[in-house]
Structures are given as structure tokens and as C-alpha cells.
Amino acid sequence: MQKLEELYSGKAKSIFKTDDADLFVMEFRDDTSAFDGVKKAKLSRKGEVNNKFNAFIMSKLAEAGVPVHFVRLLSERESLVKRLQMIPVECVVRNVAAGSLCRRLGIREGMELTPPTYELFLKNDELHDPMINEHHARAFGWATDEQLEEMKAQTFKVNEILKSLFDAAGMTLVDYKLEFGLVDGKVTLGDEFSPDGCRIWDKATGEKMDKDRFRQDLGDVIEYYEEVGRRLGVQF
Ligand code: TMP
Ligand code: ASP
């Protein structure tokens, strides 16, 4: 497999073509952003930490039967992934209230959500990832009924797998965002799963261990990402 030219550069990752039209190289950079790209920084070692973290989680999800685009680790910062036709809709599950849910609905941070909530957002930084519903996704052709059903089912399946994984390691999976795409028409989990796209709190102390450390200037961002990984069994 040969890495070819860069196809796309996002806020934290870059995608490269390969000599196989069905496979891309996903490179995790040290760039970090928050608030739809408004706050930016380079955090040393973030690329390799998130690459290994993502590989660990995606492998667990694949073992449990979730279709994922992750194929294998290639290097410290690179993973091989299947080429997806991305669906521009972000799927968010919340087990505990935090972030935009608290701001929008005046809910106290930390309230347990039973059952968990499920929300869709349009992936569009310029519009600040507005919340949408399934009717918008259908009306504007972003996803079909069947794809939306499959995205929801997979997103909740991920919750069942990861909630207990984090819990057993002394952490609460507060919320997370997933992105899906299509491989030969099949809804497949894409993007990444890392502390950049979820909230994780220490069960004992309530301490924040995810990107809120960057958003809220709490410090030691990557040290906490690594601590989350170490507790789960990620080999850094
Ligand atoms: P929110 O509280 O800002 O709506 O985010 C909920 C969770 O989803 C949180 O863990 C962050 C993640 N998320 C992203 O990583 N990127 C996004 O664009 C959105 C909308 C959410
Ligand atoms: N990942 C998004 C951004 O860059 C949203 C966030 O994490 O706050 O800006």
C-alpha cells in the first residue's frame, strides 16, 4: 500500500489517497480546535495519542459487530481506513447532561439522563453545527430513512459497548459524537472516537478528562487523554 497525495485537510486530521481506490490514510495531527474552529492550538503528541486511542476503540467496536472504517494502524500518527462517502450529520448520545444541552435547555450539568438522549447536528462549522432533526436530513437529501435508522441503531449500540468499558475503568462516558458514511451503500462508522469528540469524567472525583480541558483552559489536556487511554488499556 502506497500513500499518495493529500485529499482533504480537516481541523485535526488529514486524509490521503493511496494506490488502492477504496482505502485512505488518515493522519492525526497535533492541531486542536474548539467552538467550531474559533479556538485553536497545537498540542504536542496529540496526534499519536488520538491515533492509538481511536485504533483501540474502533477495534473494540468492530469486535462487537459495529461496521467501522478503521482498518489498521500504520504508524504513530497514521491509520488505514476504508473510503467512505460521508453523511454530513453528527449523531450525539448523552448519558449525563453537559455542554450545549445545558445551555439550550437550562439543564444542570451532571444530571443523569435516563434514557439517554439522541440528537442530530448538521456538520457545518460556518453555521456552527446547527441541531437538526430527521425530517431535515430527509428533506435536504443528507440521509435516507433507512440510513437514519441505521445510524441511530449503531450510535446506541456504541453506547452499550463503550459505557461499560469506561465504567469498568473508573470513568463515566458523559456524551459523544459519531459520524457515519457509506461503503458500498452500507452505513459505516467513520471519523474518530477519541477524547476530542466525547466527554469523560472521573467516576470518583468528577474531574473532566476530555476536550473540555482545552475548551475551558483546565490544562494538562494530553496528559488526561493518555490517562483515559491507560485506564482502558491502550498501549501508547
Ligand atoms: P455539545 O455538548 O457541544 O453539543 O457536544 C456533545 C458531544 O459531542 C461532546 O462530547 C462534543 C461532541 N461534539 C463534537 O466533538 N463535535 C461537534 O461538532 C459536536 C456538535 C459535538
Ligand atoms: N470539534 C469542533 C471544533 O472544532 C467542536 C468542538 O469540539 O468544540 O471546533
Side-chain angles (χ1 to χ4, degrees):
M1 199 278 307
Q2 209 192 337
K3 183 177 173 186
L4 301 176
E5 77 268 20
E6 185 176 279
L7 184 70
Y8 170 79
S9 187
K11 284 175 292 187
K13 300 188 293 298
S14 301
I15 300 290
F16 295 81
K17 288 187 177 178
T18 71
D19 53 1
D20 183 333
D22 295 328
L23 296 173
F24 287 159
V25 171
M26 188 162 79
E27 183 189 313
F28 289 76
R29 308 193 314 270
D30 286 344
D31 300 293
T32 304
S33 76
F35 313 119
D36 306 315
V38 169
K39 178 171 174 165
K40 287 189 203 160
K42 264 192 203 303
L43 298 177
S44 175
R45 291 185 305 108
K46 193 188 88 143
E48 54 194 81
V49 168
N50 276 3
N51 185 33
K52 290 172 191 170
F53 194 106
N54 175 66
F56 178 89
I57 296 285
M58 289 290 169
S59 303
K60 291 275 178 212
L61 297 177
E63 273 168 34
V66 177
V68 300
H69 77 152
F70 174 79
V71 178
R72 64 183 159 89
L73 274 174
L74 290 175
S75 71
E76 291 286 292
R77 287 170 182 272
E78 297 166 314
S79 287
L80 191 65
V81 297
K82 292 180 198 158
R83 180 165 64 100
L84 294 189
Q85 185 195 328
M86 291 308 290
I87 296 169
V89 173
E90 304 183 335
C91 305
V92 171
V93 160
R94 300 176 196 266
N95 295 306
V96 178
S100 74
L101 182 81
C102 298
R103 286 197 298 277
R104 275 183 280 120
L105 303 181
I107 305 290
R108 159 183 75 78
E109 183 180 80
M111 180 184 169
E112 270 195 47
L113 302 170
T114 343
T117 62
Y118 180 66
E119 299 163 339
L120 301 178
F121 296 88
L122 178 64
K123 190 174 168 66
N124 185 322
D125 276 346
E126 276 160 42
L127 299 177
H128 305 293
D129 291 351
M131 194 180 198
I132 57 166
N133 66 32
E134 301 190 340
H135 292 263
H136 295 111
R138 279 193 290 266
F140 298 112
W142 297 321
T144 65
D145 274 350
E146 296 70 31
Q147 290 163 357
L148 290 163
E149 275 311 306
E150 189 61 25
M151 287 155 70
K152 182 156 73 178
Q154 295 300 345
T155 303
F156 275 107
K157 182 166 180 176
V158 166
N159 201 35
E160 286 320 303
I161 301 161
L162 295 188
K163 226 173 30 166
S164 45
L165 200 75
F166 280 88
D167 187 69
M171 297 172 283
T172 303
L173 179 58
V174 170
D175 58 28
Y176 57 90
K177 179 263 301 178
L178 301 181
E179 294 180 29
F180 293 89
L182 304 173
V183 189
D184 298 328
K186 187 177 160 69
V187 172
T188 302
L189 180 58
D191 192 45
E192 68 180 281
F193 192 103
S194 76
D196 266 2
C198 64
R199 290 192 172 91
I200 302 153
W201 295 350
D202 186 294
K203 251 173 40 175
T205 64
E207 216 173 8
K208 295 178 179 178
M209 306 181 79
D210 53 75
K211 197 157 90 173
D212 273 347
R213 297 203 70 82
F214 173 67
R215 294 190 189 97
Q216 300 172 13
D217 296 317
L218 299 175
D220 295 330
V221 180
I222 300 309
E223 288 75 7
Y224 275 85
Y225 284 23
E226 280 180 305
E227 173 60 16
V228 174
R230 265 195 298 272
R231 289 195 199 176
L232 293 173
V234 181
Q235 302 284 322
F236 288 116

